[in-house]
Amino acid sequence: MADTIIILVVVVILIFALKGSIRHFRGEGACCGGGSGSVKTKKVKKKTLDGPVTGQRTIRISGMHCRNCANSVTNALNAIDGVSAKVSLKDNTAEVSFDRMVDDANLKQAVEKAGFKVVSIS
């Protein structure tokens, strides 16, 4: 009798785990790193700079796994005054354009504050 109860409990746990995995891979579940509930992916507006582009940087980033991760990095970089970013999830990079001097440390800090690791800035 005890074995039957244990088997039923394990089967129920596996069913919930399978349902959660399916929801995650469909993009309906919580995003990379946990949390509960579903994550609504915010559409990122393309940011335009006030002045002409005076420089560009390519930031290699690790830890991005989904579109929501890329949007988080884009929003973090675009929050810096004078910076416009385009993030590529496929390449794990952010192409950053700016219309004034921006310190690489500020770019790195914004990405890391969003929860990701900067591999290099070139």
Side-chain angles (χ1 to χ4, degrees):
M1 181 67 171
D3 290 339
T4 305
I5 293 172
I6 292 172
I7 290 173
L8 287 174
V9 169
V10 170
V11 168
V12 169
I13 291 171
L14 288 174
I15 289 171
F16 281 111
L18 181 61
K19 285 175 66 175
S21 296
I22 290 170
R23 286 183 55 215
H24 178 75
F25 288 114
R26 285 184 182 163
E28 298 169 355
C31 177
C32 313
S36 61
S38 60
V39 174
K40 301 276 185 188
T41 303
K42 292 181 181 177
K43 191 168 186 174
V44 177
K45 293 181 187 175
K46 185 174 180 180
K47 182 177 176 184
T48 56
L49 298 174
D50 295 333
V53 174
T54 60
Q56 293 184 319
R57 295 277 189 276
T58 300
I59 305 172
R60 296 199 49 75
I61 302 165
S62 69
M64 294 189 301
H65 302 288
C66 66
R67 188 75 242 154
N68 192 53
C69 295
N71 288 349
S72 295
V73 171
T74 303
N75 290 333
L77 289 168
N78 284 345
I80 299 172
D81 197 32
V83 171
S84 175
K86 184 185 291 186
V87 176
S88 169
L89 183 59
K90 178 182 172 191
D91 299 329
N92 288 320
T93 60
E95 297 295 328
V96 179
S97 301
F98 42 91
D99 62 4
R100 61 197 78 169
M101 282 302 298
V102 176
D103 190 30
D104 289 351
N106 291 346
L107 299 173
K108 181 177 180 180
Q109 181 181 21
V111 172
E112 290 179 349
K113 189 174 179 182
F116 304 93
K117 185 176 183 212
V118 173
V119 176
S120 65
I121 300 177
S122 55

